[in-house]
Amino acid sequence: MLSFREPGLGCARGRSRSDRSMNARSRDFIGRRGELRALDNALTECARGQLRFALVSGEAGIGKTALARRFADVARRAAAQVLITECAQEDRSRPFAPLLQLSGPFAPLAADSVGHPVPAGPDRDRAFAAVAARLREAALNRPVVVVLEDLHWSDEETLRVLPYLARRVADASVLVVATVRSDIAGSATLVRTLVDLRRRDAVELRLPPLTPSQVGLLMRSVLEKGRIDSALLSYVAERSEGNPLFVEELVRGLIDHGWVAFVNAAWQPVRSLADATVPTSVGASVRDRLALMPAEIRWILSNAAVIGPRFTFDLLLETAGTSRGAVVAAVRARIEAELIEERQADGPTFVFRHALLMTGSIAARGAEHWSHVLPRRDGRMREASARLGITSHRREPSGCKNRRGRLASPRTQAWRLIWRERLLLPVRIIPTVPRCFACTRGLRPMLVGASR
Ligand SMILES: Nc1ncnc2c1ncn2[C@@H]1O[C@H](COP(=O)(O)OP(=O)(O)OP(=O)(O)O)[C@@H](O)[C@H]1O
Ligand SMILES: [Mg+2]
């Protein structure tokens, strides 16, 4: 089988030996003791027969997922049954999308064998009741922990299930841990759901930035070996403002650009950091990192970002218009650069390690790029939808009109789409992105409405 992680095959130009020693896999989990204790207490209460909710919130990259995954390990060790799922921006118009991924107690939400979600009305009421009954049954012998990631991207239906469960299985040993970004304006339903859950005494965990000493610990974990110069420590602590994702990106940026190197068994600045022209955001850091790669690889990999947070090797190959070998090399380069990770699936499937890394990869591309990739991607999606018989919540694009009511050009539509879908999200991390006028129709329905 094709291996995407062969040593020495990364083709990012300018990668130094010291860079390769950065440790991507076995990172230590830093701090968050109070938060873990609060979640642990909630699990204890839930084990006594009480449904609990925990809301983990904070800005992009602050460590919500890291905390939720860490707690999931703790809960597994405590013999709880842990179910993890995530809401995806692309699935916002698919009813119950994150819950259908879980199946098990949530299987009644899919009314038929090919995955059509339950329609509105009595069928839906019956399905909700069946989910409540199954959850109660599953939690009879050991607590069930449901980790629901990125609630800000949830579909409306999933948001409605949560308050329902709060009412119907209040005495079941179920703990729902939801992560939600504080820097994204949520829908009215999200706001209502959060208010409802808070009224029901949800455990509220707003993640603060890491302290400077925790930033130091994270840097040690990232850099794997050797001492770290104190000037470097304070530079990264100050610049990153304690955001762990930005800590990782800054450290990488400083090494990639030759400001920092491993010399005499220590990571230290080799030029004055006061003059360092390092990226000031995660997006800029990704663009800089891509700039170090050969042009062909950059082209192929930004296709991946246009496809979405998850993409298959086959689809990438189809959109690349180049040889299989070049695409394999590009994928390897990105894995080496820690922008994407390989996931187990039917065939080789990849995910961006973080949403902001995908955003940064797209920002450099022009509209032609989108018009090249989107038809292929959506053609594939429609094909898959037709195979699965999913048509109910798919809408065709209605076209994007300009202020005078005329249909905007494909180029304008593509640009609006880029701004709207990708660049307006990371409000704090990419603070300089200008606001654009809203495109209320346009290509968005085609993207979010087309099922996988
Ligand atoms: N406490 C921590 N210890 C070690 N690494 C951490 C910690 N918190 C976050 N990280 C690292 O920082 C990066 C970003 O964290 P994470 O993905 O959890 O952020 P997030 O808040 O979930 O972001 P988003 O809102 O975009 O989903 C990850 O690579 C993660 O491993
Ligand atoms: Mg996350």
Side-chain angles (χ1 to χ4, degrees):
M1 203 180 114
L2 190 57
S3 163
F4 288 93
R5 202 167 228 304
E6 287 176 10
L9 282 174
C11 33
R13 236 186 315 143
R15 281 174 67 79
S16 62
R17 263 183 47 237
S18 56
D19 185 12
R20 270 196 287 275
S21 76
M22 286 180 66
N23 167 21
R25 256 133 295 283
S26 55
R27 301 245 166 102
D28 299 327
F29 182 78
I30 315 292
R32 310 293 190 211
R33 290 204 183 158
E35 287 84 359
L36 280 171
R37 209 173 311 121
L39 289 171
D40 210 28
N41 290 342
L43 181 59
T44 309
E45 286 165 11
C46 133
R48 291 192 199 119
Q50 192 186 351
L51 175 88
R52 297 300 317 262
F53 284 94
L55 300 172
V56 180
S57 60
E59 64 187 24
I62 198 69
K64 301 178 292 297
T65 298
L67 175 69
R69 298 297 160 112
R70 178 69 167 193
F71 172 66
D73 291 343
V74 172
R76 270 191 214 100
R77 281 202 294 276
Q81 183 187 348
V82 179
L83 306 171
I84 301 181
T85 186
E86 60 192 29
C87 311
Q89 200 182 1
E90 289 70 21
D91 288 340
R92 275 178 112 165
S93 61
R94 294 184 61 213
F96 309 117
L99 301 179
L100 291 175
Q101 280 174 31
L102 285 177
S103 177
F106 298 98
L109 296 174
D112 62 33
S113 56
V114 289
H116 284 118
V118 287
D123 283 350
R124 173 159 301 188
D125 295 343
R126 266 195 296 277
F128 276 27
V131 169
R134 285 197 186 196
L135 256 184
R136 186 185 292 283
E137 195 186 320
L140 270 184
N141 297 323
R142 54 186 187 138
V144 174
V145 175
V146 180
V147 176
L148 188 49
E149 281 256 44
D150 298 328
L151 202 59
H152 45 274
W153 284 332
S154 170
D155 60 279
E156 301 270 307
E157 312 300 330
T158 297
L159 290 170
R160 292 196 180 103
V161 173
L162 299 180
Y164 176 89
L165 292 177
R167 289 194 303 276
R168 293 295 295 266
V169 287
D171 56 351
S173 295
V174 176
L175 169 60
V176 179
V177 179
T179 67
V180 58
R181 270 214 204 148
S182 54
D183 50 6
I184 289 184
S187 66
T189 316
L190 174 67
V191 173
R192 261 201 310 278
T193 300
L194 293 179
V195 168
D196 189 304
L197 299 182
R198 283 178 181 130
R199 265 212 322 264
R200 291 170 198 280
D201 207 17
V203 179
E204 186 92 45
L205 300 171
R206 292 198 174 91
L207 297 191
L210 298 182
T211 63
S213 64
Q214 290 171 335
V215 168
L217 292 174
L218 180 54
M219 287 172 70
R220 279 206 178 85
S221 167
V222 169
L223 292 169
E224 205 176 32
K225 61 169 187 187
R227 281 187 305 106
I228 302 175
D229 179 87
S230 59
L232 174 60
L233 274 174
S234 22
Y235 180 88
V236 173
E238 192 185 314
R239 284 295 180 108
S240 68
E241 296 179 4
N243 181 301
L245 179 66
F246 202 14
V247 169
E248 293 172 349
E249 292 300 311
L250 257 184
V251 169
R252 179 172 274 284
L254 288 168
I255 294 172
D256 276 352
H257 287 270
W259 294 96
V260 165
F262 192 61
V263 182
N264 297 333
W267 290 99
Q268 49 187 296
V270 287
R271 287 183 275 163
S272 164
L273 287 180
D275 304 328
T277 49
V278 290
T280 52
S281 70
V282 173
S285 147
V286 173
R287 282 195 295 281
D288 274 22
R289 217 185 300 165
L290 289 176
L292 295 175
M293 297 181 178
E296 187 183 36
I297 286 182
R298 280 208 306 275
W299 162 259
I300 294 170
L301 293 176
S302 56
N303 280 3
V306 174
I307 291 171
R310 277 165 210 273
F311 57 95
T312 61
F313 179 78
D314 286 349
L315 186 48
L316 191 57
L317 183 61
E318 197 177 308
T319 57
T322 181
S323 72
R324 190 181 174 83
V327 177
V328 170
V331 168
R332 282 183 185 151
R334 266 247 162 131
I335 292 177
E336 285 290 306
E338 294 181 15
L339 293 170
I340 60 170
E341 289 172 353
E342 193 175 355
R343 287 280 161 89
Q344 302 294 334
D346 293 344
T349 302
F350 304 90
V351 292
F352 278 85
R353 203 169 55 73
H354 195 278
L356 295 185
L357 302 182
M358 182 179 82
T359 309
S361 309
I362 291 178
R365 306 307 314 180
E368 298 78 10
H369 192 73
W370 283 70
S371 53
H372 167 74
V373 176
L374 285 177
R376 287 175 171 78
R377 182 186 91 158
D378 293 318
R380 277 295 200 88
M381 283 179 168
R382 270 193 283 276
E383 218 176 82
S385 304
R387 246 197 343 269
L388 292 171
I390 298 172
T391 52
S392 54
H393 48 271
R394 218 185 76 210
R395 284 158 42 203
E396 294 304 322
S398 56
C400 182
K401 303 242 174 87
N402 63 22
R403 282 185 190 154
R404 291 193 199 115
R406 284 204 293 264
L407 202 64
S409 71
R411 185 187 170 90
T412 309
Q413 291 189 38
W415 269 116
R416 286 183 190 174
L417 185 67
I418 294 169
W419 286 117
R420 195 177 145 78
E421 292 294 317
R422 305 289 185 212
L423 296 185
L424 291 179
L425 299 177
V427 174
R428 199 187 77 84
I429 303 273
I430 307 183
T432 53
V433 170
R435 295 228 155 236
C436 74
F437 43 86
C439 159
T440 50
R441 283 170 287 182
L443 297 171
R444 182 178 159 72
M446 173 168 75
L447 288 180
V448 297
S451 306
R452 273 185 290 203

